[in-house]
Amino acid sequence: MTTNDQHYINLVLEGDTHAFSTLVGRYKDLVFTLALRMLKNTEEAEEIAQDAFIKVYKSLAKFKGDSKFSTWIYKVTYNTCLDRIKKNKKYFNNVAINEFTEHEIKTIDNALNYLEQEEYKQSIKDCIAMLPSDDAFLLTLYYFEELSLDEISKTIDLTANNVKVKLFRSRKKLAHILRERLEPEIIENYERPGR
């Protein structure tokens, strides 16, 4: 998101606690959004966002700069959400997928590319909100933060190949939901042969 995070990190480590509020300001909306995607509950997401920033503050000295600061914050948020889910023993149902192919996912993506950008974003956001927590988190990083496979793998502690597989499965689930929600004629228009 920004290149001078390290400047504020250094200020915090030197004792300037006010500098941390700048970092919180930069990432609070995204941290909340990611928590909401996983927990599906506004109050819990707000608590998780606070907990995540407390953890980030307390372990700021451990941040080595091996990855972007934003990636590290996402990782802390992700792990904090997982802890809460385990604590609450919440398990979300998976969306059923019936023989979805990569071609069909590309068809959905192509159709969405022709929608207005804001409409596209809102359609994706609405549909992502309907997914299980891990899928929602992963797709938020992929679609809205535009993280690379490598950056996502650092965030959720999986290899880039595992992320690729999870991302493919998450996109299949998303495509299934989009297919049900989008106007059928939009889909049909881009499924015609020769496209």
Side-chain angles (χ1 to χ4, degrees):
M1 283 206 167
T2 183
T3 54
N4 67 348
D5 287 342
Q6 192 61 52
H7 168 72
Y8 289 99
I9 293 167
N10 293 340
L11 288 175
V12 174
L13 295 176
E14 290 165 10
D16 181 357
T17 53
H18 294 295
F20 192 68
S21 64
T22 301
L23 295 172
V24 171
R26 283 181 184 166
Y27 297 105
K28 68 179 179 185
D29 290 343
L30 186 69
V31 166
F32 171 75
T33 300
L34 293 173
L36 187 59
R37 293 276 186 266
M38 287 193 74
L39 298 169
K40 317 286 189 194
N41 177 293
T42 304
E43 287 174 18
E44 283 195 0
E46 286 169 356
E47 287 175 26
I48 288 300
Q50 288 177 349
D51 291 351
F53 279 114
I54 289 168
K55 287 178 183 178
V56 166
Y57 182 78
K58 287 181 175 176
S59 47
L60 203 54
K62 294 178 186 172
F63 177 66
K64 303 286 187 239
D66 297 339
S67 63
K68 289 194 289 192
F69 183 64
S70 57
T71 303
W72 188 60
I73 287 179
Y74 305 155
K75 183 175 184 169
V76 171
T77 304
Y78 179 74
N79 288 329
T80 306
C81 288
L82 286 181
D83 291 345
R84 175 62 63 95
I85 289 169
K86 286 175 194 167
K87 182 178 164 190
N88 292 348
K89 294 182 169 44
K90 286 186 177 178
Y91 298 100
F92 300 102
N93 293 328
N94 287 338
V95 176
I97 300 299
N98 300 324
E99 300 166 7
F100 237 78
T101 66
E102 190 170 356
H103 166 73
E104 287 171 302
I105 289 174
K106 283 180 181 167
T107 298
I108 300 289
D109 286 349
N110 289 341
L112 285 170
N113 285 338
Y114 288 89
L115 295 175
E116 290 293 326
Q117 190 62 24
E118 282 312 304
E119 250 183 85
Y120 169 77
K121 281 186 179 177
Q122 197 53 54
S123 295
I124 294 285
K125 283 179 183 174
D126 292 346
C127 294
I128 284 176
M130 298 169 70
L131 289 168
S133 53
D134 275 359
D135 297 310
F137 187 89
L138 191 63
L139 290 171
T140 298
L141 294 179
Y142 179 75
Y143 279 111
F144 297 105
E145 286 308 296
E146 298 177 1
L147 294 190
S148 67
L149 289 177
D150 195 43
E151 289 168 326
I152 294 173
S153 74
K154 288 177 184 169
T155 301
I156 62 174
D157 274 337
L158 289 174
T159 66
N161 278 342
N162 283 346
V163 169
K164 200 173 184 178
V165 170
K166 279 180 76 76
L167 189 56
F168 180 75
R169 289 179 183 154
S170 297
R171 289 178 73 220
K172 283 201 307 190
K173 292 175 188 176
L174 178 62
H176 178 76
I177 292 170
L178 286 170
R179 179 177 271 284
E180 290 179 347
R181 291 187 54 135
L182 284 178
E183 293 292 326
E185 60 268 19
I186 295 174
I187 301 299
E188 286 166 19
N189 186 36
Y190 296 102
E191 283 185 335
R192 287 187 195 135
R195 287 254 175 200

